[in-house]
Amino acid sequence: MLGVPAQTGYNWLEAVAERGPVALGDAPKSGRPSRLSADQWMELTATLHASPSEAGYGTPAWSPELLRSHIFDTYGSEYSHAHMHRLLEKAGLSRQTARPSHYKVDPAEKQRWRDEFKKVVGAEG
């Protein structure tokens, strides 16, 4: 019913009986301390919520590599590329993806092209 092995369910019941419902939550994880101070993080978050062009970059959106370079140039801290995704998410930004099709596409023209393509490919086979 829960999608876990029965033994896991029994382990959860035992933990709740011993320590209460808080036993099912994640234990606090200390992790490595942040390389940026609280003030630096607030400043960086404000910078990320503005356009990169306002920070002097010639690009319309923040990318992990641009953020990594910005942090190193501004604060002297170096992070991994993978961590940049986490920082962007922590700052409240979402990953942008390319459009599946161009916004100015004419649906009738697109269908006409597909029909022609099918005819050409079908004639060759």
Side-chain angles (χ1 to χ4, degrees):
M1 184 168 97
L2 297 175
V4 297
Q7 185 59 51
T8 301
Y10 291 122
N11 292 345
W12 289 346
L13 287 172
E14 186 177 312
V16 169
E18 289 176 7
R19 296 175 292 176
V22 295
L24 298 179
D26 283 339
K29 298 173 180 81
S30 62
R32 182 178 291 195
S34 176
R35 295 180 189 156
L36 299 177
S37 69
D39 290 339
Q40 289 172 329
W41 173 248
M42 288 179 61
E43 180 183 313
L44 178 61
T45 303
T47 301
L48 289 174
H49 283 274
S51 170
S53 61
E54 292 181 34
Y57 300 104
T59 183
W62 288 100
S63 68
E65 277 307 313
L66 179 60
L67 175 57
R68 187 173 187 226
S69 174
H70 176 74
I71 290 174
F72 183 75
D73 294 344
T74 307
Y75 306 107
S77 294
E78 195 165 6
Y79 288 96
S80 71
H81 179 80
H83 191 62
M84 295 301 95
H85 291 283
R86 290 188 286 273
L87 288 182
L88 287 166
E89 185 178 323
K90 183 179 175 185
L93 301 178
S94 64
R95 182 178 301 192
Q96 299 294 313
T97 59
R99 291 184 185 100
S101 63
H102 195 275
Y103 70 101
K104 291 184 179 179
V105 72
D106 177 12
E109 182 65 20
K110 183 177 179 180
Q111 187 59 47
R112 186 196 64 72
W113 184 88
R114 284 186 174 171
D115 293 342
E116 282 297 315
F117 182 75
K118 287 178 189 175
K119 288 178 189 175
V120 171
V121 170
E124 292 176 3

